Amino acid sequence: GAELVISVDPDGLAGIEDGLRDLIGYPYGCIEQTTSKVIPMLAVRELTESLDLMALTGTNLEGYVKAGIGKIGRFQGESGGFSLWIGGEPEAYYTAYALWGLHLARQAGYAVDQSRISDGLSYLREDGKRPDTSKPYYDSHGDLGSQAFALYVRAVLGDGDPAAITELLAK
């Protein structure tokens, strides 16, 4: 015989646990992908707690976030800059993006090594004085966008540089 199954979803959140598990389990690799995994997981923590999604709360999710923070750190080189791949050449955009992700993690209450932040800011300060345009972000607008994002992240992290912002706006 036939069977009729009716399911009621008053919140519109049916299946969210599966989606969140996919986000956590997807095998990200480079710095952008790794950071892009950690940032939404910070929001996932708040969501899972507010919705009481037991499968993704507590130590399970915490472990994923902490592992992501640790992995971000492995993309940082001796210069303080972060590269697209572990052991690669550092670039301002990747450094700014990694620092932004680490900042959000710290704001969410996770431990982040302050030396990673300080060394990354130092790299951005030096790059800002003499931006590396040998590997343009597709064109000059991409380079300027990268520099603007780096200045934004520096300001968010308490290392604002009004003179550099004014100079960038004049370009």
Side-chain angles (χ1 to χ4, degrees):
E3 180 180 330
L4 174 64
V5 176
I6 298 174
S7 125
V8 179
D9 179 18
D11 300 328
L13 297 170
I16 194 168
E17 288 185 52
D18 291 336
L20 295 179
R21 252 188 231 97
D22 289 344
L23 170 67
I24 291 164
Y26 190 82
Y28 291 101
C30 72
I31 187 68
E32 284 181 303
Q33 293 165 333
T34 300
T35 305
S36 294
K37 175 182 180 181
V38 169
I39 290 171
M41 280 195 295
L42 300 171
V44 164
R45 182 177 74 166
E46 293 178 18
L47 182 64
T48 58
E49 288 171 359
S50 66
L51 297 176
D52 198 26
L53 302 174
M54 295 309 294
L56 292 170
T57 56
T59 56
N60 193 12
L61 184 60
E62 296 293 306
Y64 283 118
V65 174
K66 289 176 182 175
I69 292 168
K71 186 173 180 184
I72 289 171
R74 293 198 298 272
F75 290 87
Q76 190 171 29
E78 290 180 18
S79 67
F82 290 76
S83 58
L84 181 61
W85 296 103
I86 294 171
E89 289 294 314
E91 294 184 37
Y93 173 78
Y94 301 130
T95 301
Y97 192 54
L99 290 179
W100 184 57
L102 293 174
H103 168 71
L104 294 176
R106 189 166 59 182
Q107 276 191 318
Y110 289 93
V112 174
D113 185 346
Q114 179 57 40
S115 67
R116 295 226 176 269
I117 303 284
S118 300
D119 293 350
L121 286 172
S122 178
Y123 173 86
L124 289 180
R125 251 181 258 117
E126 289 304 310
D127 183 79
K129 293 174 188 171
R130 291 173 297 284
D132 180 4
T133 56
S134 66
K135 293 178 263 182
Y137 295 92
Y138 306 107
D139 61 20
S140 61
H141 295 294
D143 285 331
L144 293 174
S146 173
Q147 291 170 47
F149 182 55
L151 287 168
Y152 166 76
V153 170
R154 285 182 57 197
V156 164
L157 289 168
D159 188 44
D161 191 342
I165 293 169
T166 302
E167 184 180 326
L168 184 65
L169 287 171
K171 291 184 179 181

